[in-house]
Amino acid sequence: MTKINGMTDGSENLHKRTIFSPWNNKVFWTIVIMFIALFLSAFRVLDFPEGGSITFMGLFVLWLYTFFYGWKAGAVFSIAFGVLRYFVGECTGESLFIGVPEKYKMLVRVLEFPVAYGVLFAGGLLAKKAKKNSDESIFQIEEDNRDLICGYLFGIFLQYLVYVITAIVFYDSKGRGVTENIWYCARYDAFALIFEAFLTCLVLLIPEVRKGIFYLKFIATHEEEENNL
């Protein structure tokens, strides 16, 4: 009986053909998410006079790539985004590295772009990797809001640490004492990231938004098949 069932399953698979679609193509989503993340990073809700800015869900869109494809792919993607984000800032004349001594500017470039954006992938360590091409149907999508939101917030927290440490070590303290400067840097960077995370979480409280995200994750990681019976 077991063999017969096995033969039946095998014969059914022979009649299935994978349909090529951009919706389940990783290259397609890499380009789309990169473009949207760069686009949103250019539209800032607020700019600070000493550098730094707040975007609307720009970091969340960047995190989605890790959420879709896991932390390994997310690490490469996030670092690449950081490099591109730096060059975009240079090309648009964005004020960067105000108050950083010349000898430290290259190191700060690396820390505040490839590293600071790259650490967002770490949230993927808390999330389950998508079950690619599993037998799960689109009507049985497993929604794990903890993975989605906690992974994002964990990545934001690590990015915050990178910014604060960089500011404390390399930026001009402008005569502030050590304790005062640490508190200033912690407060300054917290305002930007907490405000952005707060706006993002407000949007994620909408059930339809979360369902849409899990739907996109499903179609991005599952191949379409058709039966040729």
Side-chain angles (χ1 to χ4, degrees), residues 155-175:
I156 289 286
F157 174 70
L158 292 182
Q159 186 179 58
Y160 169 71
L161 291 181
V162 173
Y163 282 143
V164 170
I165 293 171
T166 302
I168 292 171
V169 175
F170 299 108
Y171 279 77
D172 182 9
S173 64
K174 297 183 177 179

Side-chain angles (χ1 to χ4, degrees), residues 19-128:
I19 305 172
F20 175 78
S21 168
W23 299 111
N24 56 35
N25 187 284
K26 192 173 183 178
V27 175
F28 170 80
W29 285 105
T30 299
I31 295 170
V32 168
I33 295 177
M34 181 68 77
F35 176 80
I36 295 175
L38 286 171
F39 178 80
L40 290 176
S41 71
F43 289 90
R44 297 180 287 274
V45 177
L46 180 65
D47 281 314
F48 300 121
E50 297 181 34
S53 61
I54 299 172
T55 65
F56 181 67
M57 296 189 74
L59 294 175
F60 179 76
V61 171
L62 178 60
W63 150 248
L64 280 182
Y65 192 86
T66 297
F67 183 65
F68 283 8
Y69 296 112
W71 68 268
K72 292 180 181 179
V76 176
F77 184 85
S78 299
I79 291 171
F81 174 86
V83 173
L84 287 174
R85 180 67 186 82
Y86 166 72
F87 284 113
V88 169
E90 286 285 323
C91 294
T92 57
E94 183 179 341
S95 297
L96 301 171
F97 316 123
I98 299 173
V100 180
E102 191 64 36
K103 63 180 179 179
Y104 295 129
K105 282 190 175 180
M106 181 54 68
L107 180 56
V108 172
R109 285 185 179 96
V110 174
L111 290 172
E112 292 203 344
F113 285 91
V115 174
Y117 285 106
V119 294
L120 284 174
F121 85 89
L125 297 172
L126 305 180
K128 300 184 185 75

